[in-house]
Amino acid sequence: MKGWEFTDTNVPLKLVEKPDPVVIPGEVVVDVKAAGLCHTDVAALEDPGWKALFGELPVLFGHECAGIISAIGEGVTGFKIGDRVGVHPITKAGEYIGFQRDGGYATKIMVPADTLVPIPDSVAFDLGAMATDAGMTSYQAIRVGGAKEGIKVGIIGIGGLGQLATRAAVLKGCEVYAVDVNPAARALAKTLGVKEAFENISDLEPIECELIVDFAGFGETTSQALDVIKKFGTIVVVGMGKLEANINTYNLILKQAKIIGSNGGTHQDIAEMYKLFATGKLNPEYSTISFEEIPEGLERLKRGEVKGRLVALVD
């Protein structure tokens, strides 16, 4: 098997060959068919602060993947060889795939069976991979915020995650409003079924959204969301553009608003995204590259050249 190996911060990924994994009890081997590229990986490659998340190095990188089961360990039930599956990036034992054990920038990956989520036959592997991180993160954000039919929802930041959450909220029957400083992102939002797309968060004030999800997270975006949220409303913060925010506690108290942090998601969140993909009504903007192009793909992410999501297809 082949895989892209992380050895240290500010050291380029290295393409290595390793013996195929020999399956152990409770685990399965998955032949990887698609792996999503994530801004988290860009940060981990450059920022020494991320080293604390890694286990023993080197490790095969990548935490967003999907493929076909090719071997099953003793004691595994509910799955069989040939099943199409996505891999939740965190094991039930708390290990981070691609950081604390070999990840999905590889032709094969061995993971505990408890990480697996079945992919419907009608859902392509590229979408199957995307749902395991970007999909579940966006879906959990609107779920914990209480998105349901008929409520008004504001989405700040229509990028790889924001577009998924926007369309999912629309399909739930929410009245959705998008905010993004990028005209192209606002144009994308209008194709997703939003009621309106704005450049400024202040434009949400007369709408009185019951829920606002901040996928930008630049500090002022969160504080401005609090300024415009309806009384008793909820703000969910997902983006980490800036790791602090100054908020108006007067508004927080008088509006009796809630601010919730959301990170990652559950197996069920991934499964719900698969259901939406299977309907054909959720078609996110993304592009694909080859397995060999993963390092250059991460550079494209770093340079801000990627629209939506970027997925590597593995032969």
Side-chain angles (χ1 to χ4, degrees):
M1 62 165 286
K2 295 180 179 180
W4 287 100
E5 190 175 75
F6 177 94
T7 56
D8 205 347
T9 309
N10 293 310
V11 176
L13 295 181
K14 179 183 178 182
L15 184 60
V16 298
E17 291 190 5
K18 300 177 62 172
D20 290 349
V22 178
V23 74
I24 62 174
E27 304 209 356
V28 303
V29 175
V30 176
D31 291 352
V32 179
K33 297 300 180 183
L37 278 66
C38 182
H39 283 282
T40 296
D41 296 334
V42 175
L45 279 166
E46 296 187 329
D47 185 349
W50 284 83
K51 285 286 290 293
L53 188 60
F54 285 92
E56 183 178 346
L57 296 176
V59 67
L60 299 185
F61 216 29
H63 59 272
E64 187 177 276
C65 67
I68 299 173
I69 295 176
S70 59
I72 294 182
E74 182 182 350
V76 173
T77 60
F79 293 96
K80 64 183 185 301
I81 291 174
D83 281 352
R84 308 169 79 249
V85 293
V87 179
H88 193 289
I90 305 175
T91 72
K92 288 188 177 178
E95 295 175 300
Y96 287 80
I97 290 170
F99 291 89
Q100 294 163 346
R101 60 183 295 153
D102 283 344
Y105 290 170
T107 55
K108 291 179 180 286
I109 182 173
M110 184 165 70
V111 292
D114 62 36
T115 64
L116 302 181
V117 181
I119 301 176
D121 290 340
S122 60
V123 175
F125 284 116
D126 40 14
L127 294 176
M130 193 186 311
T132 63
D133 183 14
M136 74 165 182
T137 301
S138 58
Y139 194 87
Q140 174 177 266
I142 62 171
R143 174 175 59 80
V144 299
K148 60 183 179 180
E149 185 175 359
I151 76 165
K152 295 178 180 179
V153 177
I155 304 289
I156 301 172
I158 312 300
L161 298 181
Q163 62 161 325
L164 289 165
T166 296
R167 185 60 179 161
V170 168
L171 293 174
K172 277 180 170 287
C174 303
E175 185 177 306
V176 184
Y177 297 84
V179 180
D180 202 294
V181 295
N182 187 330
R186 296 197 297 274
L188 171 61
K190 290 180 180 179
T191 71
L192 302 175
V194 300
K195 194 81 172 178
E196 188 56 79
F198 302 113
E199 181 179 0
N200 301 305
I201 296 172
S202 59
D203 292 326
L204 292 176
E205 185 164 16
I207 295 166
E208 296 190 316
C209 293
E210 290 109 309
L211 168 63
I212 296 177
V213 185
D214 182 5
F215 285 102
F218 279 99
E220 67 270 15
T221 55
T222 304
S223 61
Q224 290 171 25
L226 181 59
D227 291 339
V228 302
I229 194 74
K230 185 179 181 179
K231 189 173 183 179
F232 304 115
T234 299
I235 298 163
V236 179
V237 184
V238 181
M240 301 173 71
K242 186 179 179 182
L243 301 183
E244 58 184 24
N246 292 318
I247 63 171
N248 185 329
T249 53
Y250 177 85
N251 277 337
L252 179 67
I253 295 166
L254 290 194
K255 290 185 176 184
Q256 298 183 59
K258 292 187 292 184
I259 300 176
I260 301 172
S262 183
N263 174 35
T266 66
H267 289 63
Q268 188 59 38
D269 291 325
I270 297 173
E272 291 298 326
M273 290 302 294
Y274 286 160
K275 289 179 184 178
L276 292 177
F277 286 145
T279 67
K281 296 178 180 179
L282 176 54
N283 299 293
E285 182 178 50
Y286 70 98
S287 53
T288 61
I289 59 174
S290 70
F291 174 73
E292 290 75 19
E293 294 175 304
I294 285 176
E296 173 54 27
L298 292 171
E299 285 297 314
R300 286 173 55 192
L301 277 181
K302 176 183 173 181
R303 296 192 297 262
E305 297 172 357
V306 176
K307 292 183 179 180
R309 204 70 173 173
L310 188 60
V311 181
L313 301 181
V314 184
D315 293 333

